[in-house]
Amino acid sequence: MEWSLVALILLGLAFAFEREIRSLQNQSERVFVWSTLASLRTALVLNRLARQVRPDDASLIEKNPFRLLQQLPANYAGEMPMQDVYLVPPGSWLFDPDCPCVGYRLLYPEWLEPAQEIGVIWFRIGRAGDGPSLSPLEDYLWQGIRFK
């Protein structure tokens, strides 16, 4: 009887520990995605300002915001069309030049609504007001955060 009680307590602790680790992994992915999106937005704004200062400089024309960063993210998979997103591993960024859109294949897609088979969030590069923007292609809800 005592060993059964000890086994149940250990099993409960193991379950709680696993749940907390999973929550921490989800939160770290969320922070990573937000910081990468912020870096891309900043790079787009700085590029736009540089083009205003030097409008004749053709080297400043770049559609892929990842190329505007000082260093590519380690998990940047490159340029490819949206329909080929299944070729990149989860946790990877990509750029679709035809859209033009930035995509991220989630490590934990079970937290994404609307649910998707592959679990990718896409952001279209466009203009909002006076500057460039990254706008979600859909009304995503991911880990309690709404992308609009």
Side-chain angles (χ1 to χ4, degrees), residues 17-75:
F17 183 68
E18 188 272 332
R19 186 174 175 181
E20 287 300 314
I21 287 177
R22 188 138 170 100
S23 174
L24 184 61
Q25 289 172 330
N26 289 335
Q27 290 174 15
S28 65
E29 182 180 28
R30 181 174 57 200
V31 168
F32 170 74
V33 167
W34 280 105
S35 65
T36 303
L37 287 173
S39 296
L40 292 173
R41 285 183 176 113
T42 301
L44 287 167
V45 168
L46 291 174
N47 182 257
R48 182 169 190 269
L49 291 173
R51 286 190 321 213
Q52 286 178 340
V53 172
R54 299 184 312 221
D56 297 331
D57 191 347
S59 68
L60 294 175
I61 298 172
E62 178 60 62
K63 288 186 174 186
N64 185 341
F66 288 101
R67 291 193 184 141
L68 298 173
L69 299 173
Q70 285 184 336
Q71 183 176 352
L72 288 173
N75 59 345

Side-chain angles (χ1 to χ4, degrees), residues 22 25-26 29 106-119 141-143:
R22 188 138 170 100
Q25 289 172 330
N26 289 335
E29 182 180 28
L106 300 167
L107 286 170
Y108 305 103
E110 63 270 13
W111 296 91
L112 180 64
E113 294 177 24
Q116 301 175 7
E117 183 179 329
I118 297 178
L141 179 64
W142 179 54
Q143 297 186 23

